[in-house]
Amino acid sequence: MSRRPSSRYSEMPMRVTDSRMSLVNATPQNKDNVFGKLNIPKPHSTTSERRTSFFGKGIGAGGQRNSMFGAYGGPEKMKDPRPLHDKAFVQQCIKQLCEFLVERGFPGSITVKALQSPSTKEFLKIFEFIYTFLEPSFQMPTAKVEEEIPRMLKDLGYPFALSKSSMYSIGAPHTWPQALGALIWLIDTVKLFSGQRDQGLLFSDFSDELCDLEERTEYNKLFMEYCSDTYNKFMQGADTFEDEEDDYLNKLKKLYNVDGALLHSQQEKHAILMEHVERLERESQTDRLAGKRTEKLRLQADLQKLQDYRCTLEDHKTGLKKKAAGLSEELEAAEMQLEGLKQERTRLQHILEIQKFTPADIERINRERNELQQTVHSLNQNLVEAEQLVWNEEVNLSKTKEKAEVKVAEYNKLGRKLKLIPQSAENACGHDFEIRTDYSAITITQYKTQIQNPLKNMMVDVEDECSRLTNMKLSLEETVEQVKSNIFDKENDIKQLKEQIRRVDQQLEHDMQEMAQEDEKWAAEVDSAETHKKRLEKNVTQGCEEAEEECKAAQQQYHVVVQETNEEQRMVNKNLTEIFSYAADHLVTVEKHCNEQLKRFDKMKEVIREDEADMKQLMDLVENFMKKANSL
């Protein structure tokens, strides 16, 4: 056997369960079917995707697709398909996070309300608590947390980008949903890790006599056939393998004698339980605290109404007392009048006794008196009933009028506060929204047509404007976040530029000092030159012979300098020639080294071909073994 790389390329099932096992080897968990379709993640195919086969050279676009097991392309930024800006989905994720933390014993009080907008400190505690289920010895770093958390999520395989700037304001409405989605993904990873660590078999719910399924030939045969078929289709360009999954599951059901009726009954029970759970979740979504607060406000309003009604009753009681005082005075006057009537009656009775009437006259008078008394009694009863009815109607009318006046006053007050009243107000738009205290049927109908329809139109316009402003606010918040990030980068650039400017200033100051020193030096030389000039002027008068001699000496010195310059130029040319020869030798050496590296690369290709031949031999051995096992 030839050399092999240290990494494991074989797709045969491992003898020892690993935490990184494929989802094909896990027990299928589906609410619709216990032995349903395998939860195999579908590869995300794009036009720019390139894959290199492990078993040969990759085929470009237009032919068969390339394998995933070779060179990996650069990471592609994926868009999160989850509706993280949907309030219902966010509330569901918050509830799921809260249940997980409570179930796993989070150290501290945690509520759904606290998770609506948590602080950065609370988010770090929650992240550290969840991450310890994957790595028990994990401790949150104290420095550069905003860089470490996205890096750890990326190392775990989180497919979506979590920006560093979102870690600074984790509880903001535009950053919390992305962080919440990352926590939910981390929770799912913990659950999957825990489930794969606890189960060691494909079907762990069967009896103990089937505990060694992976060791059996039938299972290995089915699994290898499934892997071979799906991989061949995958190399041909397929992304889904539903037919192969259905065939594989049917064979597994036949192999392990799955009861279809029992499975169907369990599915029905599961569906009923899931409906019950969803109903309970919908019922539990109502906030009891908000209901109690609404009830408190309603009771406070009722209390205010009762207090107002009490004041009205006290005023009415005072009026009744005044009426009672007036009635008592009227009663005294009526008693005095009754006393006078009694005296008149006595006088008339005396006159009656003195007068002489026949029995027929007396009977007639008595009959008329009785009729008059009955008439007076019935009229008195009708009068009392009419007065009582009028009183009740007046009381009801006064109560209704007071309530209407209070509501009208509140409406007008609210209209003035909203700048809808008077007609020339800012938000009235030329409509008269004021309600006056005249209660005729025509006025009420006029108010409905005059106020209700414009208010509905204004409410629709205000709701549209609110939704537009909300969307604008979200976009502006995202823009502000980007601008903040750009400002932070620009501040770093400014700091670097300031440092460079400081260094340039120091260099400039140093150069200015050197220039000042050179100026002083040149000034001294100019002074000496002027002194020398004066001296020469004095010496010129001494004679032309000495000047000619000096000219000859200068010419001789010029020839010497020319010779020296030519010699230096020749030396420079010689040095450049040597340098070019050294560079050419170096290029030849580099070319030889590259040729040696190419030869080593060809040798590595030969080693890879030997490994492929060994792999082919291993596959032949496996096929022979499977044939022998089938023949047995």
Side-chain angles (χ1 to χ4, degrees), residues 358-372:
T358 61
D361 294 334
I362 293 172
E363 185 177 356
R364 180 177 57 79
I365 291 170
N366 290 330
R367 187 173 60 250
E368 291 177 356
R369 185 184 66 182
N370 292 330
E371 290 176 356
L372 290 172

Side-chain angles (χ1 to χ4, degrees), residues 506-566:
Q506 290 179 356
Q507 184 66 29
L508 179 62
E509 185 178 357
H510 180 69
D511 293 340
M512 291 295 290
Q513 291 178 358
E514 290 182 354
M515 289 177 66
Q517 292 177 0
E518 289 181 358
D519 290 338
E520 293 177 355
K521 182 178 179 182
W522 283 109
E525 290 181 357
V526 167
D527 294 338
S528 63
E530 289 180 352
T531 305
H532 184 65
K533 179 183 177 182
K534 292 178 181 179
R535 190 179 302 128
L536 287 176
E537 289 177 351
K538 291 179 180 179
N539 294 329
V540 164
T541 58
Q542 293 179 2
C544 293
E545 295 179 357
E546 294 179 0
E548 290 177 356
E549 291 178 358
E550 289 179 358
C551 183
K552 291 179 181 180
Q555 288 179 355
Q556 292 176 359
Q557 188 176 1
Y558 170 73
H559 291 299
V560 173
V561 169
V562 169
Q563 291 178 359
E564 291 178 355
T565 303
N566 293 330

Side-chain angles (χ1 to χ4, degrees), residues 8 10-19 21 25 199-202 211-217 219-220 223 622 625:
R8 186 176 186 272
S10 177
E11 288 297 317
M12 293 290 289
M14 294 185 292
R15 297 287 183 179
V16 182
T17 305
D18 188 62
S19 61
M21 63 185 294
N25 293 331
Q199 69 181 22
L201 300 175
L202 179 62
C211 62
D212 199 16
L213 293 177
E214 292 186 358
E215 299 293 333
R216 298 202 174 185
T217 308
Y219 168 73
N220 291 334
F223 180 71
V622 172
F625 175 74

Side-chain angles (χ1 to χ4, degrees), residues 587-598:
L587 289 175
V588 172
T589 305
V590 170
E591 186 177 1
K592 290 180 180 179
H593 181 70
C594 291
N595 293 328
E596 292 177 358
Q597 293 295 327
L598 289 174

Side-chain angles (χ1 to χ4, degrees), residues 412-426:
N412 291 331
K413 182 178 179 181
L414 182 60
R416 291 186 180 91
K417 187 182 293 185
L418 296 176
K419 297 181 180 179
L420 296 174
I421 298 173
Q423 188 173 0
S424 60
E426 181 180 352

Side-chain angles (χ1 to χ4, degrees), residues 206 252-260:
F206 288 103
L252 287 178
K253 289 179 181 178
K254 291 179 182 179
L255 179 62
Y256 299 111
N257 298 323
V258 177
D259 190 356

